[in-house]
Structures are given as structure tokens and as C-alpha cells.
């Protein structure tokens, strides 16, 4: 197999696995995954808001997921590791799933989008963007966008810094797509710089020496000897 086809097949497999985990772990607050090859097999790290649901009773669900990844998706010797998301408000996938669930429960799209964006910004994020597309109020589909803060839309920062999440809300009028973009609080933008003021060095001040009174020699100098002066003459 050519190198190009190998990379493409691995990318397609990763997308299929992520789609499968998103569907199976919807109740657990699926927040993304990471796949890495190891000498012992394939390490699959699952980020979830509720790790207990992912593991299941006695590890039953994890065992089922491992079998499905090996048999149905061709993952070689999968080893699943579950990690809890520390701050769900900064996870774009979890926020997108919550927004989709709110729309399915009957929330008005403006209220749901504003609520999610406000929660993300109150957590300390630098920026947030929420996009809702579909049949929102009538038979014609349209797109509604909510933006607050600082968001990158192009270049390398939009790929490496901006967190992206996507979910689908199924309603009677049709399917509504939800997209959430978040810039975390600890993100370092390439166009951010700080001016450091140069500190001027103060001239060194000479230190004054203090002599104790007891150390001063108070004895009077001896007078010259008169006899010694005569002998010199």
C-alpha cells in the first residue's frame, strides 16, 4: 500500500471510530478521543464528563467497546483508557452535545445558544462562537451565529488553538446542526506580545565606615629624648 493511501485509510478509520464513540457514549458526556500506536497495540484515550458510565458495571461497556473496535473497525489490539474532563465548559464537544440536547427538549434556539456561550465565557474563556443551522423557525433553513470574545478563523491558530465541537439535534421539522468553537483561557496567541520596560541601574553608593570609640588609641605620643638629641649633635 502506498504511503498516501495508508494515511488516508488511517484518517478514515479515526473518523469512523470517533463517530461510533460519539453515538455510543452520548449519555456519558463524550468529549473527544485520541488514538496512538504503541508497541503493545493501539492506545485509545476517551475523554468523558462521566467516566463511570463509559466503564459500565464491572467494566462491561469498556469490554464491549474494545471488541467492537477490534472486529468492526479494524483497530489492532485496542487498549481503552478513560480520562475525566476537568473543566467541561472548555470542551467544545461536550458543549455542542448539551446545546443539541437543549434544542431537542424544546428550548428556543436563541436562548439555548446564548446560554451556552454565556456559560463558556463566564468560565474564563478568551472567546466563543456558536453556530446553529437548520430549520429553526419555519420551513426554510437558515443559520444563526453567536459570537463573543476573540476567535481565530484561519491559519495555524485556528487548527491548534481553537477547540471545535459538532453535534446534531433531531426535531420534527428536520435536523439541526450545532457547532461550537472555544478559545481556552490558557491559549497563547502568536500575535500577542508584551513590552518589557528596561530597568535603569542605580549608581553604587559608597558605604561609610564607622569606628568604635574603644578601638581608638588615646595614648599621647612620647616626647623626644633630650640626651639622644645631644649625642646626635
Amino acid at each position: 500500500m502506498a504511503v498516501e493511501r495508508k494515511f488516508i485509510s488511517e484518517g478514515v478509520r479515526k473518523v469512523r471510530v470517533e463517530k461510533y464513540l460519539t453515538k455510543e457514549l452520548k449519555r456519558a458526556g463524550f468529549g473527544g478521543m485520541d488514538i496512538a500506536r504503541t508497541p503493545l497495540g493501539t492506545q485509545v484515550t476517551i475523554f468523558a464528563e462521566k467516566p463511570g458510565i463509559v466503564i459500565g458495571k464491572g467494566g462491561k461497556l469498556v469490554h464491549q467497546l474494545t471488541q467492537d473496535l477490534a472486529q468492526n473497525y479494524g483497530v489492532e489490539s485496542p487498549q481503552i483508557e478513560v480520562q475525566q474532563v476537568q473543566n467541561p465548559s472548555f470542551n467544545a464537544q461536550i458543549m455542542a452535545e448539551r446545546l443539541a440536547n437543549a434544542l431537542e427538549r424544546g428550548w428556543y434556539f436563541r436562548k439555548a445558544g446564548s446560554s451556552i456561550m454565556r456559560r463558556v465565557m463566564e468560565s474564563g474563556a478568551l472567546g466563543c462562537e456558536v453556530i446553529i443551522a437548520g430549520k429553526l423557525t419555519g420551513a426554510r433553513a437558515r443559520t444563526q451565529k453567536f459570537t463573543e470574545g476573540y476567535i481565530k478563523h484561519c491559519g495555524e491558530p485556528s487548527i491548534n488553538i481553537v477547540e471545535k465541537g459538532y453535534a446534531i439535534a433531531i426535531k420534527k421539522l428536520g435536523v439541526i446542526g450545532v457547532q461550537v468553537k472555544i478559545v481556552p483561557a490558557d491559549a497563547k496567541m502568536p500575535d500577542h506580545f508584551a513590552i518589557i520596560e528596561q530597568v535603569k541601574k542605580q549608581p553604587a553608593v559608597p558605604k561609610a565606615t564607622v569606628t568604635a570609640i574603644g578601638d581608638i588609641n588615646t595614648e599621647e605620643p612620647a616626647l623626644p629624648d633630650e640626651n639622644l638629641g645631644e649625642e646626635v649633635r
Side-chain angles (χ1 to χ4, degrees):
M1 181 184 293
V3 178
E4 293 82 0
R5 292 190 177 184
K6 181 180 179 180
F7 286 133
I8 292 174
S9 62
E10 290 181 356
V12 171
R13 184 185 298 112
K14 184 177 180 180
V15 172
R16 293 179 61 214
V17 169
E18 187 172 5
K19 186 177 180 180
Y20 164 74
L21 293 178
T22 303
K23 181 180 178 181
E24 294 294 328
L25 304 177
K26 190 174 183 180
R27 292 177 51 252
F30 178 73
M33 70 160 195
D34 187 18
I35 297 180
R37 294 294 299 273
T38 62
L40 301 178
T42 305
Q43 183 73 29
V44 181
T45 306
I46 298 176
F47 303 95
E49 186 180 2
K50 302 175 183 177
I53 299 179
V54 179
I55 297 173
K57 187 177 181 180
K60 183 178 180 180
L61 183 56
V62 169
H63 184 67
Q64 183 65 35
L65 293 176
T66 304
Q67 289 184 349
D68 292 344
L69 293 181
Q71 297 176 2
N72 301 334
Y73 298 94
V75 180
E76 182 180 355
S77 301
Q79 299 175 359
I80 297 180
E81 179 184 359
V82 184
Q83 294 185 6
Q84 184 177 7
V85 179
Q86 299 298 332
N87 193 348
S89 298
F90 287 164
N91 192 293
Q93 184 63 34
I94 294 178
M95 291 292 102
E97 291 289 346
R98 289 184 179 180
L99 179 56
N101 292 335
L103 293 175
E104 289 179 350
R105 292 197 305 266
W107 280 44
Y108 188 57
F109 71 95
R110 291 185 185 275
K111 180 181 179 181
S114 301
S115 176
I116 291 294
M117 185 178 62
R118 191 185 314 111
R119 177 171 182 176
V120 172
M121 295 304 296
E122 287 177 355
S123 299
L126 298 180
C128 178
E129 183 181 72
V130 178
I131 301 176
I132 304 175
K135 296 180 180 180
L136 303 179
T137 55
R140 177 173 292 184
R142 62 193 185 93
T143 302
Q144 184 68 37
K145 183 185 296 185
F146 307 88
T147 306
E148 186 174 352
Y150 189 71
I151 290 288
K152 281 286 189 180
H153 293 91
C154 62
E156 185 178 357
S158 66
I159 300 175
N160 299 330
I161 297 177
V162 180
E163 297 286 342
K164 300 177 182 178
Y166 181 76
I168 294 176
I170 301 176
K171 302 191 69 175
K172 293 182 179 180
L173 294 178
V175 177
I176 298 178
V178 173
Q179 187 176 6
V180 179
K181 298 180 181 180
I182 300 174
V183 178
D186 57 349
K188 296 181 180 180
M189 294 295 179
D191 55 352
H192 178 73
F193 62 91
I195 300 177
I196 302 176
E197 296 183 0
Q198 185 177 3
V199 180
K200 296 182 179 180
K201 295 182 178 181
Q202 298 291 340
V205 179
K207 295 183 179 180
T209 57
V210 180
T211 306
I213 298 177
D215 297 339
I216 301 177
N217 188 8
T218 57
E219 296 181 359
E220 296 181 358
L223 297 175
D225 193 355
E226 295 180 357
N227 298 331
L228 182 60
E230 292 177 358
E231 291 178 1
V232 173
R233 291 175 188 174

